[in-house]
Amino acid sequence: MKAKVYVTLKPSVLDPQGKAIHHSAEQLGFQQITDIRQGKYFELALDDSVSETEAREAAEKIAADVLANPVIEDYRVEIVQ
Amino acid sequence: MKAKVYVTLKPSVLDPQGKAIHHSAEQLGFQQITDIRQGKYFELALDDSVSETEAREAAEKIAADVLANPVIEDYRVEIVQ
């Protein structure tokens, strides 16, 4: 079983890295792009013996404890068979 | 309109950062997680005047030219209304 974890900065948190990418994109002529925000993406492979509920629990726990900083980041977990 | 771009290392490319995260996760007791790979995630905001086709074209182009290195990375684009 696989879990995908998406980590993004909370909307109220400034994203200087995204701003820098957006600035480069503008210089390169991508005028239709008005904003870019960067996040992180993780693919977790889980033991086949775990159930979907256990997989979601483990993925939620590692997302909150290790992969994201809940003070400034939001995360979303998706389980894939 | 929004576009989401997911960038992942190609499966044949080693991911030492993911390995380090996996190692930490094991130390913390996440025994059911057998592998972790890290990728990047971008949220692009696009001008409302562009059509879905134009938005997809722009997002695909910026993904290939700026956000991903097609030699070692794969990318996936998703358009959200």
mmCIF file of all heavy atoms in Angstrom, chain A residues 6 8 21 25 28 30 32-47 50 58 62 66-67, chain B residues 6 8 21 25 28 30 32-47 50 58 62 66-67:
data_model
loop_
_atom_site.group_PDB
_atom_site.id
_atom_site.type_symbol
_atom_site.label_atom_id
_atom_site.label_comp_id
_atom_site.label_asym_id
_atom_site.label_seq_id
_atom_site.Cartn_x
_atom_site.Cartn_y
_atom_site.Cartn_z
ATOM 1 N N TYR A 6 1.054 15.480 1.038
ATOM 2 C CA TYR A 6 1.303 16.793 0.442
ATOM 3 C C TYR A 6 1.437 17.796 1.575
ATOM 4 O O TYR A 6 0.539 17.888 2.419
ATOM 5 C CB TYR A 6 0.132 17.214 -0.432
ATOM 6 C CG TYR A 6 -0.236 16.194 -1.473
ATOM 7 C CD1 TYR A 6 -1.192 15.221 -1.216
ATOM 8 C CD2 TYR A 6 0.386 16.192 -2.712
ATOM 9 C CE1 TYR A 6 -1.528 14.266 -2.159
ATOM 10 C CE2 TYR A 6 0.058 15.240 -3.669
ATOM 11 C CZ TYR A 6 -0.900 14.284 -3.391
ATOM 12 O OH TYR A 6 -1.221 13.349 -4.326
ATOM 13 N N THR A 8 1.976 21.809 2.463
ATOM 14 C CA THR A 8 1.994 23.174 1.908
ATOM 15 C C THR A 8 2.090 24.182 3.045
ATOM 16 O O THR A 8 1.615 23.922 4.147
ATOM 17 C CB THR A 8 0.691 23.469 1.132
ATOM 18 O OG1 THR A 8 -0.411 23.054 1.937
ATOM 19 C CG2 THR A 8 0.652 22.753 -0.190
ATOM 20 N N ILE A 21 10.636 31.768 -7.544
ATOM 21 C CA ILE A 21 10.306 30.959 -8.727
ATOM 22 C C ILE A 21 9.366 31.745 -9.633
ATOM 23 O O ILE A 21 9.533 31.768 -10.855
ATOM 24 C CB ILE A 21 9.675 29.610 -8.307
ATOM 25 C CG1 ILE A 21 10.633 28.815 -7.437
ATOM 26 C CG2 ILE A 21 9.274 28.803 -9.539
ATOM 27 C CD1 ILE A 21 9.991 27.608 -6.760
ATOM 28 N N ALA A 25 9.859 32.854 -13.465
ATOM 29 C CA ALA A 25 8.875 32.477 -14.481
ATOM 30 C C ALA A 25 8.454 33.706 -15.285
ATOM 31 O O ALA A 25 8.333 33.643 -16.513
ATOM 32 C CB ALA A 25 7.665 31.827 -13.810
ATOM 33 N N LEU A 28 10.926 34.685 -17.780
ATOM 34 C CA LEU A 28 10.948 33.735 -18.889
ATOM 35 C C LEU A 28 9.707 33.852 -19.771
ATOM 36 O O LEU A 28 9.549 33.095 -20.724
ATOM 37 C CB LEU A 28 11.074 32.305 -18.348
ATOM 38 C CG LEU A 28 12.434 31.976 -17.725
ATOM 39 C CD1 LEU A 28 12.341 30.706 -16.880
ATOM 40 C CD2 LEU A 28 13.491 31.795 -18.812
ATOM 41 N N PHE A 30 6.316 33.736 -18.742
ATOM 42 C CA PHE A 30 5.057 33.107 -18.318
ATOM 43 C C PHE A 30 4.178 34.173 -17.652
ATOM 44 O O PHE A 30 4.009 34.195 -16.429
ATOM 45 C CB PHE A 30 5.330 31.966 -17.334
ATOM 46 C CG PHE A 30 6.018 30.786 -17.949
ATOM 47 C CD1 PHE A 30 7.393 30.642 -17.865
ATOM 48 C CD2 PHE A 30 5.288 29.814 -18.610
ATOM 49 C CE1 PHE A 30 8.029 29.557 -18.441
ATOM 50 C CE2 PHE A 30 5.918 28.721 -19.182
ATOM 51 C CZ PHE A 30 7.292 28.595 -19.094
ATOM 52 N N GLN A 32 0.975 34.671 -17.833
ATOM 53 C CA GLN A 32 -0.358 34.262 -17.366
ATOM 54 C C GLN A 32 -0.346 33.637 -15.976
ATOM 55 O O GLN A 32 -1.398 33.416 -15.392
ATOM 56 C CB GLN A 32 -1.043 33.350 -18.400
ATOM 57 C CG GLN A 32 -0.381 32.002 -18.649
ATOM 58 C CD GLN A 32 0.773 32.065 -19.643
ATOM 59 O OE1 GLN A 32 1.829 32.659 -19.358
ATOM 60 N NE2 GLN A 32 0.618 31.437 -20.791
ATOM 61 N N ILE A 33 0.872 33.369 -15.442
ATOM 62 C CA ILE A 33 0.966 32.806 -14.085
ATOM 63 C C ILE A 33 1.063 33.955 -13.085
ATOM 64 O O ILE A 33 1.977 34.768 -13.156
ATOM 65 C CB ILE A 33 2.170 31.844 -13.982
ATOM 66 C CG1 ILE A 33 1.935 30.640 -14.897
ATOM 67 C CG2 ILE A 33 2.389 31.392 -12.541
ATOM 68 C CD1 ILE A 33 3.112 29.718 -15.040
ATOM 69 N N THR A 34 0.087 34.034 -12.176
ATOM 70 C CA THR A 34 0.028 35.182 -11.267
ATOM 71 C C THR A 34 0.678 34.909 -9.913
ATOM 72 O O THR A 34 1.009 35.829 -9.188
ATOM 73 C CB THR A 34 -1.427 35.633 -11.047
ATOM 74 O OG1 THR A 34 -2.180 34.501 -10.585
ATOM 75 C CG2 THR A 34 -2.053 36.132 -12.337
ATOM 76 N N ASP A 35 0.842 33.639 -9.561
ATOM 77 C CA ASP A 35 1.483 33.326 -8.269
ATOM 78 C C ASP A 35 1.947 31.872 -8.277
ATOM 79 O O ASP A 35 1.337 31.017 -8.929
ATOM 80 C CB ASP A 35 0.495 33.548 -7.118
ATOM 81 C CG ASP A 35 1.204 33.509 -5.759
ATOM 82 O OD1 ASP A 35 2.381 33.923 -5.687
ATOM 83 O OD2 ASP A 35 0.585 33.060 -4.775
ATOM 84 N N ILE A 36 3.032 31.619 -7.559
ATOM 85 C CA ILE A 36 3.510 30.239 -7.389
ATOM 86 C C ILE A 36 3.816 30.032 -5.913
ATOM 87 O O ILE A 36 4.439 30.883 -5.286
ATOM 88 C CB ILE A 36 4.793 29.972 -8.218
ATOM 89 C CG1 ILE A 36 4.517 30.156 -9.716
ATOM 90 C CG2 ILE A 36 5.341 28.565 -7.953
ATOM 91 C CD1 ILE A 36 5.701 29.843 -10.621
ATOM 92 N N ARG A 37 3.347 28.922 -5.371
ATOM 93 C CA ARG A 37 3.728 28.550 -4.006
ATOM 94 C C ARG A 37 4.329 27.154 -4.033
ATOM 95 O O ARG A 37 3.843 26.274 -4.732
ATOM 96 C CB ARG A 37 2.513 28.580 -3.062
ATOM 97 C CG ARG A 37 2.078 30.018 -2.754
ATOM 98 C CD ARG A 37 0.899 30.082 -1.830
ATOM 99 N NE ARG A 37 1.214 29.778 -0.451
ATOM 100 C CZ ARG A 37 1.672 30.661 0.441
ATOM 101 N NH1 ARG A 37 1.878 31.909 0.096
ATOM 102 N NH2 ARG A 37 1.906 30.304 1.692
ATOM 103 N N GLN A 38 5.437 26.987 -3.286
ATOM 104 C CA GLN A 38 6.090 25.678 -3.300
ATOM 105 C C GLN A 38 5.734 24.888 -2.057
ATOM 106 O O GLN A 38 5.633 25.429 -0.961
ATOM 107 C CB GLN A 38 7.616 25.850 -3.375
ATOM 108 C CG GLN A 38 8.302 24.484 -3.235
ATOM 109 C CD GLN A 38 9.711 24.449 -3.742
ATOM 110 O OE1 GLN A 38 10.398 25.455 -3.808
ATOM 111 N NE2 GLN A 38 10.161 23.259 -4.093
ATOM 112 N N GLY A 39 5.536 23.602 -2.255
ATOM 113 C CA GLY A 39 5.301 22.710 -1.127
ATOM 114 C C GLY A 39 6.195 21.481 -1.235
ATOM 115 O O GLY A 39 7.120 21.443 -2.046
ATOM 116 N N LYS A 40 5.906 20.499 -0.411
ATOM 117 C CA LYS A 40 6.672 19.255 -0.444
ATOM 118 C C LYS A 40 5.728 18.104 -0.696
ATOM 119 O O LYS A 40 4.537 18.179 -0.432
ATOM 120 C CB LYS A 40 7.379 19.046 0.902
ATOM 121 C CG LYS A 40 8.555 19.986 1.108
ATOM 122 C CD LYS A 40 9.165 19.823 2.471
ATOM 123 C CE LYS A 40 8.330 20.511 3.534
ATOM 124 N NZ LYS A 40 8.946 20.477 4.873
ATOM 125 N N TYR A 41 6.263 17.038 -1.224
ATOM 126 C CA TYR A 41 5.459 15.879 -1.582
ATOM 127 C C TYR A 41 6.241 14.645 -1.180
ATOM 128 O O TYR A 41 7.443 14.561 -1.433
ATOM 129 C CB TYR A 41 5.217 15.934 -3.098
ATOM 130 C CG TYR A 41 4.642 14.704 -3.711
ATOM 131 C CD1 TYR A 41 3.387 14.244 -3.323
ATOM 132 C CD2 TYR A 41 5.326 14.003 -4.688
ATOM 133 C CE1 TYR A 41 2.856 13.112 -3.905
ATOM 134 C CE2 TYR A 41 4.797 12.880 -5.275
ATOM 135 C CZ TYR A 41 3.556 12.435 -4.876
ATOM 136 O OH TYR A 41 3.034 11.311 -5.449
ATOM 137 N N PHE A 42 5.582 13.707 -0.494
ATOM 138 C CA PHE A 42 6.254 12.484 -0.057
ATOM 139 C C PHE A 42 5.447 11.272 -0.490
ATOM 140 O O PHE A 42 4.221 11.283 -0.395
ATOM 141 C CB PHE A 42 6.377 12.445 1.469
ATOM 142 C CG PHE A 42 7.134 13.606 2.046
ATOM 143 C CD1 PHE A 42 6.468 14.756 2.426
ATOM 144 C CD2 PHE A 42 8.506 13.555 2.206
ATOM 145 C CE1 PHE A 42 7.157 15.841 2.950
ATOM 146 C CE2 PHE A 42 9.205 14.628 2.733
ATOM 147 C CZ PHE A 42 8.525 15.769 3.108
ATOM 148 N N GLU A 43 6.145 10.261 -0.975
ATOM 149 C CA GLU A 43 5.502 8.975 -1.256
ATOM 150 C C GLU A 43 6.001 7.971 -0.242
ATOM 151 O O GLU A 43 7.207 7.714 -0.159
ATOM 152 C CB GLU A 43 5.867 8.505 -2.669
ATOM 153 C CG GLU A 43 5.079 9.219 -3.744
ATOM 154 C CD GLU A 43 5.409 8.711 -5.143
ATOM 155 O OE1 GLU A 43 6.316 7.858 -5.269
ATOM 156 O OE2 GLU A 43 4.777 9.178 -6.102
ATOM 157 N N LEU A 44 5.075 7.431 0.538
ATOM 158 C CA LEU A 44 5.446 6.426 1.543
ATOM 159 C C LEU A 44 5.008 5.052 1.037
ATOM 160 O O LEU A 44 3.870 4.888 0.598
ATOM 161 C CB LEU A 44 4.737 6.678 2.871
ATOM 162 C CG LEU A 44 4.637 8.107 3.398
ATOM 163 C CD1 LEU A 44 3.929 8.098 4.742
ATOM 164 C CD2 LEU A 44 6.009 8.729 3.533
ATOM 165 N N ALA A 45 5.907 4.088 1.110
ATOM 166 C CA ALA A 45 5.537 2.701 0.829
ATOM 167 C C ALA A 45 5.288 2.036 2.173
ATOM 168 O O ALA A 45 6.095 2.184 3.101
ATOM 169 C CB ALA A 45 6.658 1.994 0.084
ATOM 170 N N LEU A 46 4.146 1.345 2.281
ATOM 171 C CA LEU A 46 3.813 0.698 3.555
ATOM 172 C C LEU A 46 3.770 -0.806 3.374
ATOM 173 O O LEU A 46 3.422 -1.317 2.302
ATOM 174 C CB LEU A 46 2.469 1.211 4.059
ATOM 175 C CG LEU A 46 2.528 2.657 4.552
ATOM 176 C CD1 LEU A 46 1.532 3.513 3.809
ATOM 177 C CD2 LEU A 46 2.288 2.733 6.038
ATOM 178 N N ASP A 47 4.097 -1.480 4.450
ATOM 179 C CA ASP A 47 4.019 -2.930 4.543
ATOM 180 C C ASP A 47 2.649 -3.413 4.046
ATOM 181 O O ASP A 47 1.623 -2.840 4.411
ATOM 182 C CB ASP A 47 4.178 -3.270 6.042
ATOM 183 C CG ASP A 47 4.669 -4.677 6.230
ATOM 184 O OD1 ASP A 47 4.349 -5.515 5.376
ATOM 185 O OD2 ASP A 47 5.389 -4.918 7.214
ATOM 186 N N VAL A 50 -0.502 -4.108 6.492
ATOM 187 C CA VAL A 50 -1.324 -3.126 7.203
ATOM 188 C C VAL A 50 -2.623 -2.837 6.453
ATOM 189 O O VAL A 50 -2.666 -2.890 5.224
ATOM 190 C CB VAL A 50 -0.578 -1.779 7.456
ATOM 191 C CG1 VAL A 50 0.670 -1.997 8.265
ATOM 192 C CG2 VAL A 50 -0.271 -1.054 6.166
ATOM 193 N N ALA A 58 -0.896 5.779 10.321
ATOM 194 C CA ALA A 58 0.566 5.904 10.332
ATOM 195 C C ALA A 58 0.993 7.112 9.494
ATOM 196 O O ALA A 58 1.855 7.903 9.905
ATOM 197 C CB ALA A 58 1.209 4.627 9.801
ATOM 198 N N ILE A 62 2.978 10.380 10.897
ATOM 199 C CA ILE A 62 4.317 10.779 10.444
ATOM 200 C C ILE A 62 4.250 12.154 9.780
ATOM 201 O O ILE A 62 5.193 12.948 9.892
ATOM 202 C CB ILE A 62 4.965 9.707 9.534
ATOM 203 C CG1 ILE A 62 6.468 9.952 9.460
ATOM 204 C CG2 ILE A 62 4.368 9.667 8.150
ATOM 205 C CD1 ILE A 62 7.241 8.892 8.745
ATOM 206 N N VAL A 66 6.735 14.434 11.668
ATOM 207 C CA VAL A 66 8.046 14.475 11.018
ATOM 208 C C VAL A 66 8.041 15.325 9.739
ATOM 209 O O VAL A 66 8.910 16.174 9.552
ATOM 210 C CB VAL A 66 8.537 13.041 10.664
ATOM 211 C CG1 VAL A 66 9.926 13.075 10.072
ATOM 212 C CG2 VAL A 66 8.491 12.140 11.886
ATOM 213 N N LEU A 67 7.061 15.084 8.876
ATOM 214 C CA LEU A 67 7.145 15.659 7.530
ATOM 215 C C LEU A 67 6.707 17.120 7.480
ATOM 216 O O LEU A 67 7.228 17.895 6.681
ATOM 217 C CB LEU A 67 6.318 14.828 6.551
ATOM 218 C CG LEU A 67 6.688 13.334 6.494
ATOM 219 C CD1 LEU A 67 5.780 12.598 5.526
ATOM 220 C CD2 LEU A 67 8.140 13.139 6.102
ATOM 221 N N TYR B 6 3.297 18.220 -9.647
ATOM 222 C CA TYR B 6 3.984 17.279 -8.761
ATOM 223 C C TYR B 6 5.258 16.836 -9.451
ATOM 224 O O TYR B 6 5.211 16.373 -10.589
ATOM 225 C CB TYR B 6 3.128 16.042 -8.519
ATOM 226 C CG TYR B 6 1.739 16.361 -8.024
ATOM 227 C CD1 TYR B 6 0.685 16.512 -8.911
ATOM 228 C CD2 TYR B 6 1.497 16.533 -6.667
ATOM 229 C CE1 TYR B 6 -0.587 16.821 -8.464
ATOM 230 C CE2 TYR B 6 0.224 16.842 -6.209
ATOM 231 C CZ TYR B 6 -0.808 16.981 -7.109
ATOM 232 O OH TYR B 6 -2.067 17.302 -6.671
ATOM 233 N N THR B 8 8.576 14.347 -9.129
ATOM 234 C CA THR B 8 9.175 13.226 -8.384
ATOM 235 C C THR B 8 10.437 12.767 -9.096
ATOM 236 O O THR B 8 10.546 12.883 -10.323
ATOM 237 C CB THR B 8 8.207 12.028 -8.323
ATOM 238 O OG1 THR B 8 7.688 11.802 -9.636
ATOM 239 C CG2 THR B 8 7.065 12.281 -7.381
ATOM 240 N N ILE B 21 15.041 10.434 5.611
ATOM 241 C CA ILE B 21 13.747 10.596 6.290
ATOM 242 C C ILE B 21 13.231 9.230 6.745
ATOM 243 O O ILE B 21 12.738 9.069 7.858
ATOM 244 C CB ILE B 21 12.718 11.283 5.356
ATOM 245 C CG1 ILE B 21 13.207 12.667 4.952
ATOM 246 C CG2 ILE B 21 11.361 11.388 6.034
ATOM 247 C CD1 ILE B 21 12.400 13.296 3.818
ATOM 248 N N ALA B 25 12.327 7.962 10.456
ATOM 249 C CA ALA B 25 11.002 7.416 10.752
ATOM 250 C C ALA B 25 11.133 6.067 11.457
ATOM 251 O O ALA B 25 10.408 5.792 12.426
ATOM 252 C CB ALA B 25 10.203 7.276 9.461
ATOM 253 N N LEU B 28 11.967 6.428 14.984
ATOM 254 C CA LEU B 28 10.832 6.929 15.758
ATOM 255 C C LEU B 28 9.735 5.879 15.917
ATOM 256 O O LEU B 28 8.690 6.154 16.491
ATOM 257 C CB LEU B 28 10.262 8.182 15.080
ATOM 258 C CG LEU B 28 11.166 9.418 15.159
ATOM 259 C CD1 LEU B 28 10.730 10.477 14.169
ATOM 260 C CD2 LEU B 28 11.156 9.995 16.565
ATOM 261 N N PHE B 30 8.169 4.000 13.331
ATOM 262 C CA PHE B 30 7.245 3.754 12.210
ATOM 263 C C PHE B 30 7.729 2.531 11.425
ATOM 264 O O PHE B 30 8.258 2.648 10.328
ATOM 265 C CB PHE B 30 7.162 4.973 11.287
ATOM 266 C CG PHE B 30 6.515 6.170 11.911
ATOM 267 C CD1 PHE B 30 7.282 7.168 12.488
ATOM 268 C CD2 PHE B 30 5.135 6.296 11.925
ATOM 269 C CE1 PHE B 30 6.679 8.270 13.072
ATOM 270 C CE2 PHE B 30 4.528 7.407 12.497
ATOM 271 C CZ PHE B 30 5.308 8.398 13.074
ATOM 272 N N GLN B 32 6.061 0.087 10.090
ATOM 273 C CA GLN B 32 5.234 -0.362 8.960
ATOM 274 C C GLN B 32 5.551 0.394 7.661
ATOM 275 O O GLN B 32 5.074 0.020 6.600
ATOM 276 C CB GLN B 32 3.742 -0.308 9.304
ATOM 277 C CG GLN B 32 3.149 1.073 9.574
ATOM 278 C CD GLN B 32 3.393 1.556 10.997
ATOM 279 O OE1 GLN B 32 4.521 1.826 11.400
ATOM 280 N NE2 GLN B 32 2.325 1.720 11.754
ATOM 281 N N ILE B 33 6.364 1.467 7.753
ATOM 282 C CA ILE B 33 6.733 2.223 6.546
ATOM 283 C C ILE B 33 8.020 1.634 5.976
ATOM 284 O O ILE B 33 9.045 1.589 6.651
ATOM 285 C CB ILE B 33 6.890 3.728 6.864
ATOM 286 C CG1 ILE B 33 5.517 4.291 7.273
ATOM 287 C CG2 ILE B 33 7.435 4.491 5.655
ATOM 288 C CD1 ILE B 33 5.564 5.706 7.796
ATOM 289 N N THR B 34 7.950 1.138 4.742
ATOM 290 C CA THR B 34 9.094 0.419 4.174
ATOM 291 C C THR B 34 9.975 1.304 3.288
ATOM 292 O O THR B 34 11.114 0.960 3.018
ATOM 293 C CB THR B 34 8.628 -0.799 3.353
ATOM 294 O OG1 THR B 34 7.689 -0.340 2.364
ATOM 295 C CG2 THR B 34 7.936 -1.818 4.243
ATOM 296 N N ASP B 35 9.441 2.426 2.817
ATOM 297 C CA ASP B 35 10.259 3.321 1.988
ATOM 298 C C ASP B 35 9.607 4.704 1.938
ATOM 299 O O ASP B 35 8.385 4.820 2.017
ATOM 300 C CB ASP B 35 10.385 2.760 0.565
ATOM 301 C CG ASP B 35 11.451 3.498 -0.242
ATOM 302 O OD1 ASP B 35 12.437 3.958 0.360
ATOM 303 O OD2 ASP B 35 11.291 3.618 -1.468
ATOM 304 N N ILE B 36 10.452 5.723 1.815
ATOM 305 C CA ILE B 36 9.942 7.090 1.635
ATOM 306 C C ILE B 36 10.724 7.736 0.503
ATOM 307 O O ILE B 36 11.950 7.620 0.444
ATOM 308 C CB ILE B 36 10.106 7.938 2.923
ATOM 309 C CG1 ILE B 36 9.311 7.324 4.080
ATOM 310 C CG2 ILE B 36 9.665 9.383 2.685
ATOM 311 C CD1 ILE B 36 9.358 8.140 5.375
ATOM 312 N N ARG B 37 10.013 8.359 -0.403
ATOM 313 C CA ARG B 37 10.674 9.151 -1.449
ATOM 314 C C ARG B 37 10.127 10.568 -1.391
ATOM 315 O O ARG B 37 8.935 10.776 -1.220
ATOM 316 C CB ARG B 37 10.451 8.541 -2.839
ATOM 317 C CG ARG B 37 11.276 7.255 -3.033
ATOM 318 C CD ARG B 37 11.065 6.633 -4.394
ATOM 319 N NE ARG B 37 11.749 7.336 -5.453
ATOM 320 C CZ ARG B 37 13.020 7.140 -5.795
ATOM 321 N NH1 ARG B 37 13.764 6.277 -5.138
ATOM 322 N NH2 ARG B 37 13.550 7.804 -6.804
ATOM 323 N N GLN B 38 11.034 11.525 -1.517
ATOM 324 C CA GLN B 38 10.593 12.921 -1.442
ATOM 325 C C GLN B 38 10.493 13.542 -2.828
ATOM 326 O O GLN B 38 11.340 13.292 -3.694
ATOM 327 C CB GLN B 38 11.565 13.750 -0.589
ATOM 328 C CG GLN B 38 11.165 15.215 -0.615
ATOM 329 C CD GLN B 38 11.737 16.064 0.486
ATOM 330 O OE1 GLN B 38 12.746 15.737 1.064
ATOM 331 N NE2 GLN B 38 11.072 17.172 0.761
ATOM 332 N N GLY B 39 9.463 14.340 -3.019
ATOM 333 C CA GLY B 39 9.314 15.074 -4.268
ATOM 334 C C GLY B 39 9.006 16.528 -3.971
ATOM 335 O O GLY B 39 9.115 16.974 -2.831
ATOM 336 N N LYS B 40 8.630 17.256 -5.009
ATOM 337 C CA LYS B 40 8.284 18.660 -4.848
ATOM 338 C C LYS B 40 6.860 18.877 -5.325
ATOM 339 O O LYS B 40 6.341 18.117 -6.140
ATOM 340 C CB LYS B 40 9.241 19.536 -5.676
ATOM 341 C CG LYS B 40 10.618 19.636 -5.072
ATOM 342 C CD LYS B 40 11.570 20.401 -5.966
ATOM 343 C CE LYS B 40 12.008 19.579 -7.150
ATOM 344 N NZ LYS B 40 13.027 20.254 -7.976
ATOM 345 N N TYR B 41 6.248 19.912 -4.825
ATOM 346 C CA TYR B 41 4.857 20.195 -5.145
ATOM 347 C C TYR B 41 4.727 21.697 -5.344
ATOM 348 O O TYR B 41 5.250 22.476 -4.554
ATOM 349 C CB TYR B 41 4.002 19.708 -3.971
ATOM 350 C CG TYR B 41 2.569 20.125 -3.982
ATOM 351 C CD1 TYR B 41 1.733 19.748 -5.025
ATOM 352 C CD2 TYR B 41 2.025 20.888 -2.952
ATOM 353 C CE1 TYR B 41 0.409 20.129 -5.040
ATOM 354 C CE2 TYR B 41 0.703 21.267 -2.956
ATOM 355 C CZ TYR B 41 -0.099 20.882 -4.003
ATOM 356 O OH TYR B 41 -1.415 21.261 -4.018
ATOM 357 N N PHE B 42 4.086 22.103 -6.424
ATOM 358 C CA PHE B 42 3.924 23.526 -6.705
ATOM 359 C C PHE B 42 2.456 23.831 -6.973
ATOM 360 O O PHE B 42 1.789 23.068 -7.682
ATOM 361 C CB PHE B 42 4.730 23.943 -7.947
ATOM 362 C CG PHE B 42 6.203 23.668 -7.834
ATOM 363 C CD1 PHE B 42 6.727 22.469 -8.266
ATOM 364 C CD2 PHE B 42 7.060 24.612 -7.280
ATOM 365 C CE1 PHE B 42 8.089 22.199 -8.154
ATOM 366 C CE2 PHE B 42 8.414 24.360 -7.171
ATOM 367 C CZ PHE B 42 8.934 23.149 -7.611
ATOM 368 N N GLU B 43 1.995 24.931 -6.446
ATOM 369 C CA GLU B 43 0.659 25.426 -6.773
ATOM 370 C C GLU B 43 0.823 26.698 -7.587
ATOM 371 O O GLU B 43 1.405 27.677 -7.103
ATOM 372 C CB GLU B 43 -0.130 25.727 -5.498
ATOM 373 C CG GLU B 43 -0.680 24.485 -4.831
ATOM 374 C CD GLU B 43 -1.505 24.798 -3.588
ATOM 375 O OE1 GLU B 43 -1.572 25.988 -3.203
ATOM 376 O OE2 GLU B 43 -2.053 23.847 -3.014
ATOM 377 N N LEU B 44 0.310 26.683 -8.814
ATOM 378 C CA LEU B 44 0.392 27.863 -9.671
ATOM 379 C C LEU B 44 -0.987 28.511 -9.731
ATOM 380 O O LEU B 44 -1.987 27.827 -9.962
ATOM 381 C CB LEU B 44 0.801 27.486 -11.101
ATOM 382 C CG LEU B 44 1.912 26.453 -11.305
ATOM 383 C CD1 LEU B 44 2.164 26.287 -12.799
ATOM 384 C CD2 LEU B 44 3.176 26.873 -10.614
ATOM 385 N N ALA B 45 -1.038 29.824 -9.543
ATOM 386 C CA ALA B 45 -2.280 30.563 -9.762
ATOM 387 C C ALA B 45 -2.185 31.162 -11.157
ATOM 388 O O ALA B 45 -1.162 31.753 -11.512
ATOM 389 C CB ALA B 45 -2.439 31.646 -8.716
ATOM 390 N N LEU B 46 -3.231 30.970 -11.961
ATOM 391 C CA LEU B 46 -3.225 31.495 -13.328
ATOM 392 C C LEU B 46 -4.292 32.556 -13.495
ATOM 393 O O LEU B 46 -5.350 32.493 -12.848
ATOM 394 C CB LEU B 46 -3.435 30.359 -14.323
ATOM 395 C CG LEU B 46 -2.232 29.421 -14.431
ATOM 396 C CD1 LEU B 46 -2.640 28.008 -14.124
ATOM 397 C CD2 LEU B 46 -1.601 29.502 -15.802
ATOM 398 N N ASP B 47 -3.997 33.481 -14.369
ATOM 399 C CA ASP B 47 -4.914 34.531 -14.779
ATOM 400 C C ASP B 47 -6.271 33.901 -15.145
ATOM 401 O O ASP B 47 -6.322 32.886 -15.822
ATOM 402 C CB ASP B 47 -4.290 35.180 -16.025
ATOM 403 C CG ASP B 47 -4.802 36.583 -16.215
ATOM 404 O OD1 ASP B 47 -5.948 36.823 -15.830
ATOM 405 O OD2 ASP B 47 -4.037 37.409 -16.743
ATOM 406 N N VAL B 50 -7.357 32.910 -18.927
ATOM 407 C CA VAL B 50 -6.859 31.788 -19.738
ATOM 408 C C VAL B 50 -7.829 30.612 -19.689
ATOM 409 O O VAL B 50 -8.497 30.375 -18.685
ATOM 410 C CB VAL B 50 -5.438 31.320 -19.300
ATOM 411 C CG1 VAL B 50 -4.437 32.437 -19.395
ATOM 412 C CG2 VAL B 50 -5.448 30.710 -17.923
ATOM 413 N N ALA B 58 0.588 26.057 -20.371
ATOM 414 C CA ALA B 58 1.540 26.891 -19.622
ATOM 415 C C ALA B 58 2.148 26.094 -18.470
ATOM 416 O O ALA B 58 3.366 26.146 -18.236
ATOM 417 C CB ALA B 58 0.845 28.144 -19.103
ATOM 418 N N ILE B 62 6.093 25.211 -18.018
ATOM 419 C CA ILE B 62 6.907 25.671 -16.883
ATOM 420 C C ILE B 62 7.417 24.474 -16.078
ATOM 421 O O ILE B 62 8.535 24.501 -15.545
ATOM 422 C CB ILE B 62 6.149 26.690 -15.999
ATOM 423 C CG1 ILE B 62 7.162 27.456 -15.150
ATOM 424 C CG2 ILE B 62 5.096 26.061 -15.124
ATOM 425 C CD1 ILE B 62 6.583 28.604 -14.381
ATOM 426 N N VAL B 66 11.276 24.722 -15.984
ATOM 427 C CA VAL B 66 11.754 25.395 -14.769
ATOM 428 C C VAL B 66 11.653 24.502 -13.531
ATOM 429 O O VAL B 66 12.614 24.375 -12.773
ATOM 430 C CB VAL B 66 10.950 26.702 -14.519
ATOM 431 C CG1 VAL B 66 11.497 27.445 -13.309
ATOM 432 C CG2 VAL B 66 10.964 27.594 -15.756
ATOM 433 N N LEU B 67 10.487 23.891 -13.336
ATOM 434 C CA LEU B 67 10.239 23.243 -12.041
ATOM 435 C C LEU B 67 10.872 21.865 -11.924
ATOM 436 O O LEU B 67 11.277 21.458 -10.846
ATOM 437 C CB LEU B 67 8.724 23.148 -11.790
ATOM 438 C CG LEU B 67 7.969 24.484 -11.864
ATOM 439 C CD1 LEU B 67 6.488 24.263 -11.636
ATOM 440 C CD2 LEU B 67 8.504 25.470 -10.857
#
